[in-house]
């Protein structure tokens, strides 16, 4: 499509590896059983090599480095204006509030919070989020983003994983002693790092949290060239109906935080009682295509109500 940046082969590979990593779970990336081998993840491991070396994480396992790498990348990704997609990736990898969950449970919880079907979540949330995040990782300057780990053993070791050890750097007895001595002075630093990491998870983990704190910042109200206005669904999303006067047939739900185009507003009185009037938006965005309505009170931009034309 014209106007869109063509994806690089490396970005496509990173996206595939992210999907594999999500399905396995970061903590189980190097699990080896009778029916399961460690994931290779060539591109992500290459990024982990660079990040681990710059951050001084020698002696740390690949899952630890990958987890820290993804967490740091998501912070930078969010700064690029991708808060909603960063939240989706965050939830699928780490879950809400940092609670440990199996990958299948994380996926189920994220989908349920979005309030959509499995197909809709996969196509409209997971794929776009992972695709854009992988494009970001493809061009991300990981060396400038790596934070130094002050509790590392202090010895540089290139390449991860080392030959003959798919899961962990090998440390000599002397290096272990040096690392243990350093740990005595790193207890407070470790606590700060843990608290900071948990705080970042809490911030990024919830789409609802993003909506609640950021509201509709950065989204143009309209009117747009086609005469529509942009509205942002509230923290509970909104049901949609084909006929607001008799709301019985329900369409695909608008999930929390989704910006949609509305073409007009309709005033509906309950049983002719004007004291119980209800305002409805006609949703122009796909897949509703001006055939479905949603209650205006379920959206954040109530300042648009006076601007939007009345439905004929």
């Amino acid at each position: 499509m014209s106007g869109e940046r063509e994806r690089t082969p490396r970005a496509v590979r990173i996206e595939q590896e992210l999907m594999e990593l999500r399905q396995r779970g970061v903590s189980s990336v190097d699990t080896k059983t009778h029916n399961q081998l460690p994931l290779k993840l060539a591109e992500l491991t290459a990024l982990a090599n660079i990040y681990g070396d710059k951050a001084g994480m020698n002696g740390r396992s690949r899952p630890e480095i990958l987890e820290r790498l993804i967490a740091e990348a998501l912070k930078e990704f969010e700064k690029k204006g991708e808060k909603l997609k960063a939240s989706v990736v965050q939830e699928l990898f780490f879950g809400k509030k940092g609670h440990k969950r199996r990958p299948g449970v994380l996926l189920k919880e994220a989908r349920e919070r979005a309030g959509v079907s499995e197909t809709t979540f996969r196509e409209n949330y997971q794929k776009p989020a992972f695709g854009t995040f992988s494009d970001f990782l493809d061009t991300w300057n990981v060396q400038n983003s790596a934070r130094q780990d002050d509790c590392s053993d202090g010895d540089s070791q290139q390449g991860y994983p080392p030959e003959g050890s798919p899961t962990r750097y090998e440390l000599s007895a002397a290096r272990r002693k040096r690392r243990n001595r350093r740990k005595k002075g790193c207890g407070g630093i470790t606590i700060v790092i843990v608290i900071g990491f948990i705080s970042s998870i809490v911030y990024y983990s919830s789409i609802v949290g993003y909506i609640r704190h950021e509201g509709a910042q950065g989204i143009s109200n309209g009117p747009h060239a086609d005469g529509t206005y942009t509205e942002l669904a509230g923290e509970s999303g909104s049901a949609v109906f084909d006929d607001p006067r008799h709301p019985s047939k329900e369409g695909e739900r608008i999930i929390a935080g989704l910006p949609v185009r509305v073409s007009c507003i309709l005033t509906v009185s309950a049983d002719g009682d004007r004291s119980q009037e209800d305002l409805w938006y006609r949703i122009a965005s796909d897949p509703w295509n001006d055939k479905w309505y949603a209650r205006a009170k379920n959206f954040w931009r109530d300042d648009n109500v006076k601007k939007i034309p009345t439905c004929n």
Side-chain angles (χ1 to χ4, degrees):
M1 182 180 296
S2 61
E4 292 187 0
R5 184 177 70 86
E6 184 176 355
R7 303 192 68 197
T8 67
R10 180 172 180 260
V12 174
R13 292 195 299 271
I14 291 174
E15 180 179 2
Q16 181 59 41
E17 291 182 8
L18 284 171
M19 297 297 289
E20 292 178 16
L21 185 60
R22 188 214 65 78
Q23 292 174 354
R24 175 74 67 89
V26 179
S27 62
S28 301
V29 65
D30 285 321
T31 297
K32 184 177 182 180
T33 64
H34 69 283
N35 62 351
Q36 194 175 63
L37 294 174
L39 295 177
K40 293 183 179 180
L41 305 178
E43 299 295 348
L44 290 178
T45 298
L47 287 172
N49 285 342
I50 300 171
Y51 184 90
D53 184 60
K54 296 295 291 186
M57 296 184 71
N58 301 317
R60 302 299 183 90
S61 67
R62 185 162 66 140
E64 289 177 298
I65 300 175
L66 284 170
E67 185 173 286
R68 171 103 162 250
L69 169 72
I70 293 172
E72 287 295 320
L74 283 173
K75 290 180 182 179
E76 298 300 320
F77 186 49
E78 185 270 340
K79 291 178 183 178
K80 299 294 184 180
E82 298 289 357
K83 295 180 180 180
L84 189 57
K85 290 179 180 177
S87 296
V88 173
V89 176
Q90 179 76 34
E91 287 204 27
L92 290 174
F93 272 109
F94 303 114
K96 189 174 183 180
K97 297 182 180 178
H99 295 164
K100 294 294 184 180
R101 296 284 193 276
R102 295 176 66 86
V105 175
L106 290 176
L107 176 61
K108 181 175 181 291
E109 290 178 344
R111 181 183 63 78
E112 289 178 347
R113 278 192 288 274
V116 297
S117 66
E118 293 182 11
T119 301
T120 298
F121 184 82
R122 182 174 60 252
E123 297 298 325
N124 295 349
Y125 288 85
Q126 185 173 339
K127 281 188 176 181
F130 275 61
T132 307
F133 186 48
S134 62
D135 289 339
F136 167 77
L137 289 175
D138 182 35
T139 59
W140 183 40
N141 191 336
V142 63
Q143 289 186 329
N144 291 342
S145 301
R147 293 185 295 107
Q148 184 68 27
D149 185 351
D150 293 328
C151 294
S152 66
D153 60 10
D155 293 329
S156 176
Q157 179 170 343
Q158 298 295 329
Y160 184 87
E163 185 176 356
S165 176
T167 60
R168 188 174 292 273
Y169 290 106
E170 292 296 329
L171 298 175
S172 66
R175 290 175 67 198
R176 290 183 186 277
K177 289 181 180 179
R178 289 197 299 271
R179 185 177 66 177
N180 290 336
R181 285 197 299 269
R182 291 189 179 208
K183 281 184 176 180
K184 293 181 180 180
C186 288
I189 296 175
T190 301
I191 292 174
V192 172
I193 291 174
V194 171
I195 292 175
F197 182 66
I198 293 175
S199 298
S200 67
I201 289 176
V202 172
Y203 179 75
Y204 291 110
S205 64
S206 174
I207 296 174
V208 172
Y210 156 61
I211 299 166
R212 181 179 295 115
H213 292 295
E214 299 298 329
Q217 297 297 320
I219 296 179
S220 174
N221 293 50
H224 303 290
D226 58 358
T228 62
Y229 290 76
T230 298
E231 293 290 330
L232 190 70
E235 61 185 60
S236 298
S238 180
V240 296
F241 300 90
D242 65 333
D243 185 357
R245 298 178 181 84
H246 305 284
S248 56
K249 183 179 179 181
E250 189 170 352
E252 182 172 338
R253 185 178 182 83
I254 299 173
I255 70 165
L258 183 68
V260 296
R261 296 285 185 93
V262 302
S263 55
C264 61
I265 193 167
L266 183 67
T267 302
V268 177
S269 301
D271 298 325
D273 184 357
R274 295 188 62 84
S275 65
Q276 298 185 35
E277 287 183 341
D278 207 357
L279 300 179
W280 292 73
Y281 288 140
R282 192 168 74 197
I283 310 301
S285 298
D286 183 69
W288 300 281
N289 300 319
D290 270 325
K291 297 178 180 178
W292 299 88
Y293 296 79
R295 284 186 169 88
K297 66 181 181 181
N298 294 335
F299 294 79
W300 282 92
R301 286 194 178 280
D302 55 2
D303 57 310
N304 267 350
V305 173
K306 297 179 181 178
K307 307 175 185 177
I308 300 175
T310 302
C311 298
N312 296 325

